[in-house]
Amino acid sequence: MQQEHIDKGKAIQKETGKTFYLATKFLPKRVRHATHVLYAFFRIADEVVDDAAGVPPAQQRAELEALRAQALGETDPDGPVLAAFNELRREYDISDAEIETFIDAMQSDIETDRYETYADLESYMRGSAAAVGVMMTAIMDPDDRETALPHAIKLGEAFQMTNFLRDVREDIVDRDRIYLPQKTLRTHDVSPEQIERLEYSESFGRAMAAELKRTEDLYREGVAGIRYLPEDCQLPVLLAAVLYAEHHTVIRAQNYDVLSQEPSLSTARKLWCLVKTRWHWHWNRDPEAVFQRVSAVPALETDRSEPGHGSRVPTR
């Protein structure tokens, strides 16, 4: 890949994906450069529908179809990111099916702004998150890709769910989208209108706690597969998991109120996650053991936290 193509992808990731960018810095060069390009491609497609105020749906679809054709090599790439992505696709044998699945998920964001069940949301994430995990696994090139893949998919879904839980306020205000499953909201007596009004209640907190717990199960499944990645990729992926999951500490500290204020990680908190993860990794190269020691995801036997029932952040 040409350096200018890598630099463009790196600039996009640094600007729009600060948490993932920090973890990416620890990847070996052979994977780091490819990750910059992958992230930039994902971001360009995502922005077609996320930054689409005033853009007619037909135009959004046309833009995504143009991206699809470029990403599949059917038309000439428009710009350095698509040119570099095409090189990656060929070099790492990224399947057309994964690209199609990803673009299809972006297309669905044009018409779909509510998800009835978690199964419906999971179907969406097969393109928006799982396909990303599959492509990242391809560029890391583990010895036993088939064993690593299911875990990579779960970890991608965990990252996506953390983003959904963190961004409830932004998604409803900027895009009129609610990614929390409607069934979960009804179970806890929360109406979509309540979220549209940004009206926090203990019921909403319980709905958030339920989805947080589901997401933390995904982290456990995902982290269990880090051991199957190349050795020089394990710490960076583990660090990404720790950093993303750290948002859960902030969410719990806000008593699950993500409607009044979006949870965010300070630079100091990110650096502390980095330091403690690297320190424990120095002494123990078991990704699951280190994740349990340093992450915001509670051990299964202590995972009983919900609003009004002794909510706490586990200390380790």
Side-chain angles (χ1 to χ4, degrees):
M1 286 182 291
Q2 297 181 29
Q3 189 61 45
E4 64 175 300
H5 296 174
I6 296 168
D7 290 344
K8 179 62 176 178
K10 180 178 179 179
I12 291 173
Q13 186 185 16
K14 186 175 183 180
E15 177 63 28
T16 61
K18 293 181 173 61
T19 299
F20 191 38
Y21 177 75
L22 177 58
T24 300
K25 290 173 70 173
F26 293 90
L27 285 166
K29 184 178 179 180
R30 63 184 174 82
V31 179
R32 184 171 67 250
H33 288 174
T35 301
H36 293 323
V37 171
L38 272 184
Y39 182 91
F41 167 66
F42 300 144
R43 193 67 205 158
I44 287 172
D46 197 46
E47 286 177 353
V48 171
V49 290
D50 276 0
D51 298 337
V55 179
Q59 183 177 334
Q60 295 176 53
R61 291 189 199 96
E63 289 180 23
L64 284 173
E65 287 305 324
L67 274 178
R68 187 198 303 268
Q70 294 172 60
L72 292 171
E74 297 171 353
T75 60
D76 291 336
D78 181 13
V81 171
L82 270 299
F85 179 80
N86 262 281
E87 292 182 49
L88 279 184
R89 177 178 58 81
R90 292 188 296 268
E91 181 178 354
Y92 294 101
D93 196 25
I94 293 173
S95 74
D96 289 355
E98 293 301 329
I99 298 170
E100 297 269 17
T101 301
F102 172 72
I103 296 294
D104 286 347
M106 299 302 98
Q107 290 269 24
S108 73
D109 266 335
I110 299 173
E111 293 101 7
T112 307
D113 53 25
R114 305 289 188 273
Y115 293 86
E116 177 60 23
T117 65
Y118 179 75
D120 295 331
L121 184 60
E122 191 174 34
S123 294
Y124 166 73
M125 290 195 295
R126 177 59 188 90
S128 67
V132 174
V134 171
M135 293 187 213
M136 282 295 302
T137 303
I139 66 174
M140 290 183 190
D141 195 23
D143 290 335
D144 188 352
R145 187 182 297 192
E146 292 307 309
T147 301
L149 267 177
H151 298 283
I153 288 170
K154 291 299 181 183
L155 195 55
E157 290 174 351
F159 291 171
Q160 179 85 86
M161 283 298 298
T162 291
N163 283 347
F164 289 157
L165 295 169
R166 179 195 66 192
D167 296 340
V168 175
R169 177 186 175 91
E170 177 184 327
D171 284 333
I172 193 65
V173 171
D174 294 348
R175 305 176 187 100
D176 190 31
R177 290 193 203 135
I178 298 175
Y179 288 106
L180 296 175
Q182 298 297 299
K183 184 176 180 180
T184 299
L185 296 177
R186 284 197 303 273
T187 297
H188 296 281
D189 298 317
V190 178
S191 69
E193 292 76 21
Q194 179 181 331
I195 296 177
E196 291 164 9
R197 295 192 299 268
L198 302 177
E199 182 182 301
Y200 174 78
S201 66
E202 288 189 6
S203 296
F204 175 80
R206 284 191 286 272
M208 281 288 296
E211 291 303 327
L212 215 66
K213 183 178 184 300
R214 191 202 306 269
T215 302
E216 289 168 348
D217 288 339
L218 292 173
Y219 274 104
R220 295 185 189 99
E221 292 183 64
V223 168
I226 292 177
R227 69 179 69 250
Y228 303 118
L229 299 177
E231 288 187 10
D232 56 1
C233 294
Q234 291 182 17
L235 175 59
V237 174
L238 175 62
L239 177 59
V242 171
L243 286 168
Y244 271 87
E246 186 66 14
H247 287 92
H248 296 199
T249 299
V250 183
I251 290 171
R252 287 190 169 103
Q254 294 179 191
N255 199 31
Y256 303 89
D257 181 3
V258 294
L259 296 173
S260 303
Q261 179 183 359
E262 181 177 311
S264 63
L265 302 183
S266 66
T267 299
R269 185 185 285 270
K270 290 178 184 178
L271 292 176
W272 171 237
C273 287
L274 166 61
V275 169
K276 65 182 179 179
T277 303
R278 290 191 73 181
W279 190 87
H280 282 283
W281 185 253
H282 176 75
W283 298 104
N284 185 353
R285 297 301 176 93
D286 180 343
E288 288 180 273
V290 175
F291 186 75
Q292 183 172 324
R293 290 282 295 179
V294 306
S295 80
V297 175
L300 283 171
E301 65 271 18
T302 61
D303 195 5
R304 302 188 183 93
S305 174
E306 70 173 53
H309 292 82
S311 297
R312 52 179 165 68
V313 177
T315 56
R316 295 185 168 88

